[in-house]
Amino acid sequence: MHERGAKETARKALSLLDLTDLGETCDAAAIERLYEEARTPFGTVAAICIWPRFVAQARGLLGKGHSVKIATVVNFPAGDLPVADVVAETRQAIADGADEIDLVIPYRAFIRGDEAAVTEMVTAVKAACTPPVILKAILETGELKDPALIREASDLAIAAGSDFLKTSTGKAVVNATLPAARIMLAAIRESGRPVGFKPAGGVRTVVDAGEYLALAASILGEGWATPRTFRFGASALLGDVLSVLADQPASPATAGY
């Protein structure tokens, strides 16, 4: 990727980034650091993605009407909580100030053949997401593995009202991949609905980001990817984005979401 192209991709990726801290050691101080990192000399990220227990703190830091959205996760990461518990978790997160809900579908039940579990979960949580709160369905594609299952899960989540399809929790052995992304983007195109896409886990460099943006453009058109339709779920990506924009040598990618 030439320098000008790299910088254009880096600027785009920054505007689409859900800067994420879902680490087991995350604490209040980490949320403060995330808040500071979200506002860069080159602009802000799209959102911060954090555990539900930190949403109220983040809302206090960001205030109302801030351009950086607050995303949080429910039924995370195993995807095996009862629907009523996940709905309660969602409602509490929204009351605390969440703008976006990233829901893990019951992917283990789905793998066992229970398609209705996906429909029931997504429908119930979507109903709890009072506008303008948006819902992202996490399919955990690295666990689904089979392209046919990834496509079916995509179709079910879209039909049940999800506003975004998200590849992964970032906690699986295999997270976002281009083949899974291709299947999900095709499902979005063929649905005819205004559904967004979020690759998450393993997107660590501007080159990585460029590959996903190029794939989205090839399937859904140039200019389709905006913060309303496309997000990167990542923690490590920001460092490479800032290095490219500041004309600094990239530091080695660190292990992370």
Side-chain angles (χ1 to χ4, degrees), residues 49-119:
C49 186
I50 56 179
W51 293 106
R53 62 184 178 274
F54 298 117
V55 167
Q57 178 194 355
R59 178 51 66 203
L61 291 168
L62 288 167
K64 297 291 186 182
H66 197 282
S67 62
V68 177
K69 302 298 185 183
I70 299 173
T72 194
V73 291
V74 297
N75 204 25
F76 188 94
D80 55 5
L81 293 176
V83 172
D85 290 358
V86 181
V87 168
E89 188 177 28
T90 300
R91 287 176 174 157
Q92 184 61 58
I94 293 170
D96 286 344
D99 300 297
E100 302 175 0
I101 300 295
D102 290 24
L103 162 73
V104 182
I105 68 167
Y107 63 88
R108 291 189 178 93
F110 175 64
I111 290 169
R112 295 193 299 267
D114 190 355
E115 295 90 350
V118 176
T119 298

Short mmCIF file of all heavy atoms in Angstrom, two decimals, residues 49-119:
data_model
loop_
_atom_site.label_atom_id
_atom_site.label_comp_id
_atom_site.label_asym_id
_atom_site.label_seq_id
_atom_site.Cartn_x
_atom_site.Cartn_y
_atom_site.Cartn_z
N CYS A 49 -15.92 0.24 23.06
CA CYS A 49 -16.69 -0.98 23.35
C CYS A 49 -16.15 -1.56 24.65
O CYS A 49 -14.97 -1.94 24.73
CB CYS A 49 -16.57 -1.97 22.20
SG CYS A 49 -17.63 -3.43 22.39
N ILE A 50 -17.00 -1.65 25.66
CA ILE A 50 -16.57 -1.96 27.02
C ILE A 50 -17.56 -2.90 27.71
O ILE A 50 -18.67 -3.11 27.23
CB ILE A 50 -16.43 -0.66 27.85
CG1 ILE A 50 -17.75 0.13 27.84
CG2 ILE A 50 -15.28 0.20 27.31
CD1 ILE A 50 -17.73 1.41 28.66
N TRP A 51 -17.13 -3.44 28.85
CA TRP A 51 -18.02 -4.26 29.67
C TRP A 51 -19.20 -3.43 30.20
O TRP A 51 -19.05 -2.24 30.46
CB TRP A 51 -17.26 -4.83 30.87
CG TRP A 51 -16.19 -5.82 30.56
CD1 TRP A 51 -14.85 -5.62 30.62
CD2 TRP A 51 -16.36 -7.21 30.18
NE1 TRP A 51 -14.16 -6.76 30.28
CE2 TRP A 51 -15.06 -7.76 30.02
CE3 TRP A 51 -17.47 -8.01 29.96
CZ2 TRP A 51 -14.85 -9.09 29.65
CZ3 TRP A 51 -17.27 -9.33 29.59
CH2 TRP A 51 -15.98 -9.85 29.44
N PRO A 52 -20.36 -4.06 30.39
CA PRO A 52 -21.52 -3.31 30.87
C PRO A 52 -21.28 -2.58 32.19
O PRO A 52 -21.82 -1.49 32.40
CB PRO A 52 -22.59 -4.41 31.04
CG PRO A 52 -22.20 -5.48 30.07
CD PRO A 52 -20.69 -5.46 30.05
N ARG A 53 -20.46 -3.15 33.07
CA ARG A 53 -20.28 -2.54 34.38
C ARG A 53 -19.56 -1.19 34.33
O ARG A 53 -19.56 -0.45 35.32
CB ARG A 53 -19.53 -3.49 35.31
CG ARG A 53 -18.13 -3.87 34.86
CD ARG A 53 -17.53 -4.89 35.81
NE ARG A 53 -16.20 -5.36 35.44
CZ ARG A 53 -15.96 -6.36 34.60
NH1 ARG A 53 -16.96 -7.01 34.04
NH2 ARG A 53 -14.71 -6.73 34.32
N PHE A 54 -18.99 -0.86 33.17
CA PHE A 54 -18.28 0.41 33.04
C PHE A 54 -19.04 1.44 32.21
O PHE A 54 -18.53 2.55 31.99
CB PHE A 54 -16.90 0.17 32.42
CG PHE A 54 -16.00 -0.69 33.24
CD1 PHE A 54 -15.56 -1.92 32.76
CD2 PHE A 54 -15.59 -0.30 34.51
CE1 PHE A 54 -14.73 -2.73 33.50
CE2 PHE A 54 -14.76 -1.11 35.28
CZ PHE A 54 -14.32 -2.33 34.77
N VAL A 55 -20.24 1.11 31.77
CA VAL A 55 -20.99 2.01 30.89
C VAL A 55 -21.31 3.33 31.60
O VAL A 55 -21.13 4.42 31.03
CB VAL A 55 -22.27 1.34 30.36
CG1 VAL A 55 -23.20 2.37 29.71
CG2 VAL A 55 -21.92 0.25 29.36
N ALA A 56 -21.77 3.26 32.84
CA ALA A 56 -22.13 4.49 33.55
C ALA A 56 -20.92 5.40 33.72
O ALA A 56 -21.02 6.62 33.57
CB ALA A 56 -22.75 4.15 34.90
N GLN A 57 -19.76 4.81 34.03
CA GLN A 57 -18.54 5.60 34.15
C GLN A 57 -18.21 6.27 32.81
O GLN A 57 -17.88 7.47 32.77
CB GLN A 57 -17.37 4.74 34.60
CG GLN A 57 -16.06 5.50 34.68
CD GLN A 57 -14.83 4.60 34.79
OE1 GLN A 57 -14.97 3.38 34.90
NE2 GLN A 57 -13.66 5.19 34.75
N ALA A 58 -18.27 5.49 31.73
CA ALA A 58 -17.96 6.05 30.42
C ALA A 58 -18.93 7.16 30.04
O ALA A 58 -18.52 8.19 29.47
CB ALA A 58 -17.99 4.94 29.37
N ARG A 59 -20.21 7.00 30.36
CA ARG A 59 -21.18 8.04 30.06
C ARG A 59 -20.86 9.31 30.84
O ARG A 59 -20.97 10.43 30.31
CB ARG A 59 -22.60 7.56 30.38
CG ARG A 59 -23.70 8.59 30.15
CD ARG A 59 -23.63 9.22 28.77
NE ARG A 59 -23.90 8.27 27.71
CZ ARG A 59 -23.50 8.41 26.45
NH1 ARG A 59 -22.77 9.46 26.09
NH2 ARG A 59 -23.80 7.52 25.54
N GLY A 60 -20.41 9.16 32.07
CA GLY A 60 -20.02 10.33 32.84
C GLY A 60 -18.83 11.05 32.23
O GLY A 60 -18.75 12.29 32.26
N LEU A 61 -17.89 10.30 31.67
CA LEU A 61 -16.72 10.90 31.03
C LEU A 61 -17.07 11.58 29.72
O LEU A 61 -16.62 12.69 29.42
CB LEU A 61 -15.65 9.83 30.78
CG LEU A 61 -14.96 9.24 32.01
CD1 LEU A 61 -14.15 8.01 31.62
CD2 LEU A 61 -14.05 10.28 32.66
N LEU A 62 -17.89 10.91 28.91
CA LEU A 62 -18.20 11.41 27.57
C LEU A 62 -19.29 12.47 27.57
O LEU A 62 -19.32 13.35 26.72
CB LEU A 62 -18.61 10.25 26.66
CG LEU A 62 -17.48 9.30 26.24
CD1 LEU A 62 -18.04 8.04 25.62
CD2 LEU A 62 -16.53 9.99 25.26
N GLY A 63 -20.22 12.35 28.51
CA GLY A 63 -21.33 13.27 28.54
C GLY A 63 -22.37 12.94 27.47
O GLY A 63 -22.22 12.00 26.69
N LYS A 64 -23.43 13.70 27.46
CA LYS A 64 -24.50 13.50 26.47
C LYS A 64 -24.13 14.14 25.14
O LYS A 64 -23.51 15.20 25.10
CB LYS A 64 -25.81 14.11 26.99
CG LYS A 64 -26.34 13.47 28.27
CD LYS A 64 -26.82 12.06 28.04
CE LYS A 64 -27.47 11.49 29.30
NZ LYS A 64 -27.91 10.10 29.10
N GLY A 65 -24.54 13.51 24.07
CA GLY A 65 -24.35 14.11 22.76
C GLY A 65 -22.94 14.07 22.23
O GLY A 65 -22.64 14.70 21.21
N HIS A 66 -22.05 13.33 22.88
CA HIS A 66 -20.67 13.24 22.40
C HIS A 66 -20.62 12.41 21.12
O HIS A 66 -21.41 11.49 20.93
CB HIS A 66 -19.79 12.59 23.47
CG HIS A 66 -18.33 12.81 23.27
ND1 HIS A 66 -17.60 12.10 22.35
CD2 HIS A 66 -17.45 13.66 23.86
CE1 HIS A 66 -16.33 12.50 22.39
NE2 HIS A 66 -16.22 13.45 23.29
N SER A 67 -19.69 12.75 20.23
CA SER A 67 -19.62 12.03 18.96
C SER A 67 -19.16 10.60 19.12
O SER A 67 -19.46 9.74 18.28
CB SER A 67 -18.69 12.77 17.99
OG SER A 67 -17.36 12.81 18.50
N VAL A 68 -18.42 10.30 20.18
CA VAL A 68 -17.97 8.93 20.44
C VAL A 68 -19.10 8.16 21.12
O VAL A 68 -19.58 8.54 22.19
CB VAL A 68 -16.70 8.90 21.33
CG1 VAL A 68 -16.30 7.46 21.63
CG2 VAL A 68 -15.56 9.64 20.65
N LYS A 69 -19.54 7.08 20.49
CA LYS A 69 -20.62 6.28 21.04
C LYS A 69 -20.08 5.30 22.08
O LYS A 69 -18.90 4.96 22.09
CB LYS A 69 -21.32 5.50 19.92
CG LYS A 69 -21.90 6.37 18.82
CD LYS A 69 -22.96 7.32 19.33
CE LYS A 69 -23.60 8.09 18.20
NZ LYS A 69 -24.59 9.09 18.71
N ILE A 70 -20.96 4.84 22.94
CA ILE A 70 -20.63 3.82 23.93
C ILE A 70 -21.31 2.52 23.53
O ILE A 70 -22.54 2.43 23.49
CB ILE A 70 -21.07 4.22 25.35
CG1 ILE A 70 -20.36 5.51 25.77
CG2 ILE A 70 -20.78 3.10 26.34
CD1 ILE A 70 -20.87 6.07 27.09
N ALA A 71 -20.49 1.52 23.21
CA ALA A 71 -21.00 0.18 22.90
C ALA A 71 -20.66 -0.74 24.07
O ALA A 71 -19.62 -0.59 24.71
CB ALA A 71 -20.36 -0.34 21.62
N THR A 72 -21.54 -1.68 24.32
CA THR A 72 -21.25 -2.67 25.35
C THR A 72 -21.71 -4.04 24.86
O THR A 72 -22.39 -4.15 23.84
CB THR A 72 -21.92 -2.31 26.68
OG1 THR A 72 -21.36 -3.11 27.73
CG2 THR A 72 -23.43 -2.52 26.65
N VAL A 73 -21.31 -5.07 25.60
CA VAL A 73 -21.57 -6.45 25.18
C VAL A 73 -22.55 -7.12 26.14
O VAL A 73 -22.52 -6.90 27.34
CB VAL A 73 -20.26 -7.26 25.10
CG1 VAL A 73 -19.40 -6.75 23.96
CG2 VAL A 73 -19.47 -7.19 26.42
N VAL A 74 -23.42 -7.96 25.59
CA VAL A 74 -24.34 -8.75 26.40
C VAL A 74 -24.31 -10.19 25.91
O VAL A 74 -23.97 -10.47 24.77
CB VAL A 74 -25.79 -8.19 26.37
CG1 VAL A 74 -25.84 -6.78 26.96
CG2 VAL A 74 -26.36 -8.19 24.95
N ASN A 75 -24.68 -11.10 26.84
CA ASN A 75 -24.59 -12.54 26.56
C ASN A 75 -23.17 -12.90 26.14
O ASN A 75 -22.97 -13.76 25.27
CB ASN A 75 -25.59 -12.96 25.50
CG ASN A 75 -25.97 -14.43 25.56
OD1 ASN A 75 -25.88 -15.06 26.62
ND2 ASN A 75 -26.41 -14.98 24.44
N PHE A 76 -22.20 -12.23 26.75
CA PHE A 76 -20.81 -12.25 26.30
C PHE A 76 -19.91 -12.94 27.33
O PHE A 76 -20.03 -12.66 28.51
CB PHE A 76 -20.35 -10.80 26.11
CG PHE A 76 -19.01 -10.62 25.47
CD1 PHE A 76 -18.90 -10.44 24.11
CD2 PHE A 76 -17.85 -10.61 26.24
CE1 PHE A 76 -17.66 -10.24 23.51
CE2 PHE A 76 -16.61 -10.43 25.65
CZ PHE A 76 -16.52 -10.25 24.28
N PRO A 77 -18.97 -13.77 26.89
CA PRO A 77 -18.70 -14.15 25.50
C PRO A 77 -19.31 -15.48 25.09
O PRO A 77 -19.26 -15.84 23.93
CB PRO A 77 -17.18 -14.27 25.49
CG PRO A 77 -16.83 -14.78 26.86
CD PRO A 77 -17.84 -14.13 27.79
N ALA A 78 -19.88 -16.23 26.07
CA ALA A 78 -20.26 -17.62 25.77
C ALA A 78 -21.55 -17.74 24.98
O ALA A 78 -21.79 -18.74 24.31
CB ALA A 78 -20.38 -18.42 27.06
N GLY A 79 -22.43 -16.73 25.07
CA GLY A 79 -23.67 -16.77 24.31
C GLY A 79 -24.70 -17.75 24.83
O GLY A 79 -25.59 -18.15 24.08
N ASP A 80 -24.61 -18.10 26.12
CA ASP A 80 -25.48 -19.16 26.61
C ASP A 80 -26.37 -18.76 27.78
O ASP A 80 -26.89 -19.61 28.49
CB ASP A 80 -24.65 -20.39 27.00
CG ASP A 80 -23.55 -20.07 28.01
OD1 ASP A 80 -23.49 -18.92 28.49
OD2 ASP A 80 -22.76 -20.98 28.31
N LEU A 81 -26.60 -17.47 28.00
CA LEU A 81 -27.48 -17.03 29.08
C LEU A 81 -28.94 -17.12 28.64
O LEU A 81 -29.26 -17.07 27.46
CB LEU A 81 -27.16 -15.58 29.46
CG LEU A 81 -25.80 -15.33 30.11
CD1 LEU A 81 -25.60 -13.83 30.33
CD2 LEU A 81 -25.66 -16.09 31.42
N PRO A 82 -29.86 -17.24 29.62
CA PRO A 82 -31.28 -17.22 29.28
C PRO A 82 -31.68 -15.88 28.66
O PRO A 82 -31.12 -14.83 29.00
CB PRO A 82 -31.97 -17.41 30.65
CG PRO A 82 -30.94 -18.05 31.51
CD PRO A 82 -29.62 -17.50 31.07
N VAL A 83 -32.67 -15.92 27.78
CA VAL A 83 -33.11 -14.71 27.09
C VAL A 83 -33.50 -13.62 28.08
O VAL A 83 -33.12 -12.44 27.92
CB VAL A 83 -34.30 -15.02 26.15
CG1 VAL A 83 -34.90 -13.74 25.59
CG2 VAL A 83 -33.85 -15.93 25.01
N ALA A 84 -34.25 -13.97 29.13
CA ALA A 84 -34.70 -12.96 30.09
C ALA A 84 -33.52 -12.26 30.76
O ALA A 84 -33.56 -11.04 30.99
CB ALA A 84 -35.60 -13.60 31.15
N ASP A 85 -32.47 -13.00 31.05
CA ASP A 85 -31.29 -12.39 31.69
C ASP A 85 -30.59 -11.43 30.73
O ASP A 85 -30.11 -10.37 31.13
CB ASP A 85 -30.31 -13.48 32.13
CG ASP A 85 -30.82 -14.31 33.29
OD1 ASP A 85 -31.93 -14.02 33.79
OD2 ASP A 85 -30.12 -15.26 33.69
N VAL A 86 -30.53 -11.81 29.46
CA VAL A 86 -29.86 -10.96 28.48
C VAL A 86 -30.66 -9.69 28.23
O VAL A 86 -30.10 -8.60 28.10
CB VAL A 86 -29.63 -11.73 27.16
CG1 VAL A 86 -28.91 -10.84 26.15
CG2 VAL A 86 -28.82 -12.99 27.42
N VAL A 87 -31.99 -9.82 28.21
CA VAL A 87 -32.84 -8.63 28.05
C VAL A 87 -32.65 -7.69 29.25
O VAL A 87 -32.53 -6.46 29.07
CB VAL A 87 -34.31 -9.04 27.89
CG1 VAL A 87 -35.24 -7.83 28.02
CG2 VAL A 87 -34.52 -9.73 26.54
N ALA A 88 -32.59 -8.25 30.45
CA ALA A 88 -32.38 -7.42 31.64
C ALA A 88 -31.02 -6.73 31.59
O ALA A 88 -30.89 -5.54 31.93
CB ALA A 88 -32.50 -8.28 32.90
N GLU A 89 -30.01 -7.46 31.15
CA GLU A 89 -28.66 -6.91 31.01
C GLU A 89 -28.66 -5.76 29.99
O GLU A 89 -28.03 -4.71 30.21
CB GLU A 89 -27.73 -8.03 30.56
CG GLU A 89 -26.26 -7.71 30.55
CD GLU A 89 -25.41 -8.93 30.14
OE1 GLU A 89 -25.91 -9.81 29.39
OE2 GLU A 89 -24.25 -8.98 30.56
N THR A 90 -29.39 -5.96 28.92
CA THR A 90 -29.48 -4.94 27.88
C THR A 90 -30.17 -3.69 28.40
O THR A 90 -29.69 -2.55 28.19
CB THR A 90 -30.26 -5.49 26.67
OG1 THR A 90 -29.56 -6.63 26.16
CG2 THR A 90 -30.42 -4.45 25.59
N ARG A 91 -31.28 -3.87 29.07
CA ARG A 91 -32.02 -2.71 29.58
C ARG A 91 -31.20 -1.92 30.59
O ARG A 91 -31.23 -0.68 30.59
CB ARG A 91 -33.34 -3.19 30.21
CG ARG A 91 -34.37 -3.63 29.17
CD ARG A 91 -35.61 -4.18 29.81
NE ARG A 91 -36.63 -4.48 28.81
CZ ARG A 91 -37.62 -5.33 28.99
NH1 ARG A 91 -37.73 -6.00 30.14
NH2 ARG A 91 -38.51 -5.55 28.03
N GLN A 92 -30.46 -2.62 31.44
CA GLN A 92 -29.62 -1.92 32.41
C GLN A 92 -28.51 -1.14 31.72
O GLN A 92 -28.22 0.00 32.09
CB GLN A 92 -29.02 -2.92 33.41
CG GLN A 92 -28.22 -2.26 34.53
CD GLN A 92 -29.07 -1.33 35.37
OE1 GLN A 92 -30.07 -1.76 35.95
NE2 GLN A 92 -28.71 -0.05 35.43
N ALA A 93 -27.90 -1.75 30.71
CA ALA A 93 -26.83 -1.07 29.98
C ALA A 93 -27.35 0.20 29.30
O ALA A 93 -26.68 1.24 29.31
CB ALA A 93 -26.23 -2.01 28.95
N ILE A 94 -28.53 0.11 28.73
CA ILE A 94 -29.12 1.29 28.08
C ILE A 94 -29.46 2.36 29.11
O ILE A 94 -29.20 3.55 28.90
CB ILE A 94 -30.35 0.89 27.25
CG1 ILE A 94 -29.92 -0.01 26.08
CG2 ILE A 94 -31.09 2.11 26.74
CD1 ILE A 94 -31.07 -0.67 25.34
N ALA A 95 -29.99 1.95 30.26
CA ALA A 95 -30.28 2.90 31.33
C ALA A 95 -29.01 3.58 31.82
O ALA A 95 -29.02 4.77 32.19
CB ALA A 95 -30.97 2.18 32.49
N ASP A 96 -27.90 2.86 31.79
CA ASP A 96 -26.62 3.42 32.22
C ASP A 96 -26.00 4.34 31.18
O ASP A 96 -25.04 5.04 31.47
CB ASP A 96 -25.63 2.29 32.55
CG ASP A 96 -25.95 1.58 33.85
OD1 ASP A 96 -26.74 2.13 34.66
OD2 ASP A 96 -25.42 0.47 34.05
N GLY A 97 -26.51 4.29 29.95
CA GLY A 97 -26.03 5.20 28.93
C GLY A 97 -25.45 4.58 27.68
O GLY A 97 -24.84 5.29 26.86
N ALA A 98 -25.64 3.28 27.46
CA ALA A 98 -25.11 2.64 26.25
C ALA A 98 -25.87 3.11 25.02
O ALA A 98 -27.10 3.22 25.04
CB ALA A 98 -25.18 1.13 26.37
N ASP A 99 -25.12 3.35 23.95
CA ASP A 99 -25.70 3.72 22.66
C ASP A 99 -25.87 2.51 21.74
O ASP A 99 -26.69 2.54 20.83
CB ASP A 99 -24.79 4.71 21.93
CG ASP A 99 -24.58 6.00 22.70
OD1 ASP A 99 -25.58 6.71 22.94
OD2 ASP A 99 -23.43 6.28 23.08
N GLU A 100 -25.04 1.48 21.97
CA GLU A 100 -25.00 0.33 21.07
C GLU A 100 -24.83 -0.95 21.89
O GLU A 100 -24.05 -0.97 22.86
CB GLU A 100 -23.83 0.48 20.09
CG GLU A 100 -23.90 1.76 19.28
CD GLU A 100 -22.72 2.01 18.38
OE1 GLU A 100 -21.77 1.19 18.35
OE2 GLU A 100 -22.73 3.06 17.69
N ILE A 101 -25.54 -1.99 21.51
CA ILE A 101 -25.51 -3.27 22.19
C ILE A 101 -24.94 -4.32 21.25
O ILE A 101 -25.47 -4.55 20.16
CB ILE A 101 -26.93 -3.70 22.64
CG1 ILE A 101 -27.53 -2.66 23.60
CG2 ILE A 101 -26.89 -5.08 23.28
CD1 ILE A 101 -26.81 -2.51 24.93
N ASP A 102 -23.84 -4.95 21.66
CA ASP A 102 -23.22 -6.03 20.89
C ASP A 102 -23.60 -7.36 21.55
O ASP A 102 -23.09 -7.69 22.62
CB ASP A 102 -21.70 -5.86 20.84
CG ASP A 102 -21.26 -4.68 19.97
OD1 ASP A 102 -22.06 -3.74 19.79
OD2 ASP A 102 -20.10 -4.70 19.50
N LEU A 103 -24.49 -8.09 20.92
CA LEU A 103 -25.10 -9.30 21.47
C LEU A 103 -24.49 -10.56 20.87
O LEU A 103 -24.49 -10.73 19.64
CB LEU A 103 -26.61 -9.28 21.17
CG LEU A 103 -27.35 -10.61 21.26
CD1 LEU A 103 -27.51 -11.04 22.72
CD2 LEU A 103 -28.70 -10.52 20.56
N VAL A 104 -24.00 -11.44 21.71
CA VAL A 104 -23.56 -12.76 21.24
C VAL A 104 -24.79 -13.63 21.05
O VAL A 104 -25.57 -13.85 21.99
CB VAL A 104 -22.60 -13.42 22.23
CG1 VAL A 104 -22.12 -14.77 21.68
CG2 VAL A 104 -21.40 -12.53 22.52
N ILE A 105 -24.99 -14.12 19.84
CA ILE A 105 -26.10 -15.04 19.61
C ILE A 105 -25.81 -16.36 20.33
O ILE A 105 -24.66 -16.67 20.63
CB ILE A 105 -26.34 -15.29 18.10
CG1 ILE A 105 -25.19 -16.07 17.48
CG2 ILE A 105 -26.61 -13.98 17.36
CD1 ILE A 105 -25.49 -16.62 16.09
N PRO A 106 -26.83 -17.17 20.61
CA PRO A 106 -26.61 -18.48 21.21
C PRO A 106 -26.03 -19.46 20.19
O PRO A 106 -26.70 -20.36 19.69
CB PRO A 106 -28.00 -18.89 21.69
CG PRO A 106 -28.95 -18.13 20.84
CD PRO A 106 -28.26 -16.84 20.49
N TYR A 107 -24.76 -19.24 19.87
CA TYR A 107 -24.16 -19.95 18.73
C TYR A 107 -23.99 -21.44 19.00
O TYR A 107 -24.05 -22.25 18.07
CB TYR A 107 -22.83 -19.30 18.32
CG TYR A 107 -21.74 -19.34 19.35
CD1 TYR A 107 -20.87 -20.41 19.43
CD2 TYR A 107 -21.58 -18.29 20.25
CE1 TYR A 107 -19.86 -20.45 20.38
CE2 TYR A 107 -20.57 -18.31 21.19
CZ TYR A 107 -19.73 -19.38 21.27
OH TYR A 107 -18.73 -19.42 22.22
N ARG A 108 -23.79 -21.82 20.25
CA ARG A 108 -23.66 -23.26 20.54
C ARG A 108 -24.99 -23.98 20.29
O ARG A 108 -25.02 -25.07 19.72
CB ARG A 108 -23.17 -23.47 21.96
CG ARG A 108 -21.72 -23.04 22.19
CD ARG A 108 -21.23 -23.48 23.56
NE ARG A 108 -19.84 -23.13 23.79
CZ ARG A 108 -19.42 -22.02 24.37
NH1 ARG A 108 -20.31 -21.13 24.81
NH2 ARG A 108 -18.14 -21.78 24.56
N ALA A 109 -26.07 -23.37 20.74
CA ALA A 109 -27.40 -23.94 20.48
C ALA A 109 -27.66 -24.00 18.98
O ALA A 109 -28.22 -24.98 18.47
CB ALA A 109 -28.47 -23.12 21.18
N PHE A 110 -27.25 -22.95 18.29
CA PHE A 110 -27.44 -22.92 16.83
C PHE A 110 -26.66 -24.03 16.15
O PHE A 110 -27.18 -24.71 15.25
CB PHE A 110 -27.02 -21.55 16.30
CG PHE A 110 -27.06 -21.43 14.81
CD1 PHE A 110 -28.26 -21.53 14.13
CD2 PHE A 110 -25.90 -21.24 14.07
CE1 PHE A 110 -28.31 -21.42 12.74
CE2 PHE A 110 -25.93 -21.13 12.70
CZ PHE A 110 -27.14 -21.23 12.03
N ILE A 111 -25.43 -24.27 16.57
CA ILE A 111 -24.62 -25.35 15.99
C ILE A 111 -25.30 -26.70 16.20
O ILE A 111 -25.23 -27.59 15.35
CB ILE A 111 -23.20 -25.34 16.60
CG1 ILE A 111 -22.42 -24.10 16.11
CG2 ILE A 111 -22.43 -26.61 16.25
CD1 ILE A 111 -21.12 -23.86 16.85
N ARG A 112 -26.01 -26.83 17.33
CA ARG A 112 -26.72 -28.08 17.61
C ARG A 112 -28.02 -28.19 16.81
O ARG A 112 -28.73 -29.19 16.92
CB ARG A 112 -27.03 -28.19 19.11
CG ARG A 112 -25.80 -28.32 19.99
CD ARG A 112 -26.17 -28.74 21.41
NE ARG A 112 -27.03 -27.77 22.06
CZ ARG A 112 -26.59 -26.77 22.84
NH1 ARG A 112 -25.28 -26.60 23.03
NH2 ARG A 112 -27.44 -25.94 23.42
N GLY A 113 -28.35 -27.17 16.04
CA GLY A 113 -29.53 -27.24 15.19
C GLY A 113 -30.71 -26.40 15.66
O GLY A 113 -31.79 -26.46 15.06
N ASP A 114 -30.53 -25.60 16.71
CA ASP A 114 -31.63 -24.81 17.27
C ASP A 114 -31.64 -23.41 16.65
O ASP A 114 -31.18 -22.44 17.26
CB ASP A 114 -31.49 -24.73 18.78
CG ASP A 114 -32.71 -24.13 19.46
OD1 ASP A 114 -33.63 -23.69 18.74
OD2 ASP A 114 -32.74 -24.09 20.71
N GLU A 115 -32.16 -23.30 15.44
CA GLU A 115 -32.23 -22.01 14.77
C GLU A 115 -33.15 -21.04 15.52
O GLU A 115 -32.91 -19.83 15.55
CB GLU A 115 -32.74 -22.17 13.34
CG GLU A 115 -31.82 -22.96 12.42
CD GLU A 115 -32.14 -24.46 12.43
OE1 GLU A 115 -32.94 -24.89 13.29
OE2 GLU A 115 -31.58 -25.18 11.58
N ALA A 116 -34.21 -21.59 16.14
CA ALA A 116 -35.17 -20.73 16.83
C ALA A 116 -34.52 -19.98 17.99
O ALA A 116 -34.98 -18.88 18.35
CB ALA A 116 -36.33 -21.57 17.35
N ALA A 117 -33.47 -20.55 18.59
CA ALA A 117 -32.80 -19.87 19.70
C ALA A 117 -32.20 -18.55 19.24
O ALA A 117 -32.22 -17.55 19.98
CB ALA A 117 -31.71 -20.77 20.27
N VAL A 118 -31.66 -18.51 18.03
CA VAL A 118 -31.09 -17.27 17.50
C VAL A 118 -32.20 -16.24 17.27
O VAL A 118 -32.09 -15.08 17.69
CB VAL A 118 -30.34 -17.54 16.19
CG1 VAL A 118 -29.82 -16.24 15.59
CG2 VAL A 118 -29.20 -18.51 16.42
N THR A 119 -33.26 -16.67 16.63
CA THR A 119 -34.37 -15.76 16.34
C THR A 119 -34.97 -15.21 17.62
O THR A 119 -35.23 -13.99 17.73
CB THR A 119 -35.45 -16.49 15.52
OG1 THR A 119 -34.88 -16.91 14.28
CG2 THR A 119 -36.64 -15.58 15.27
#
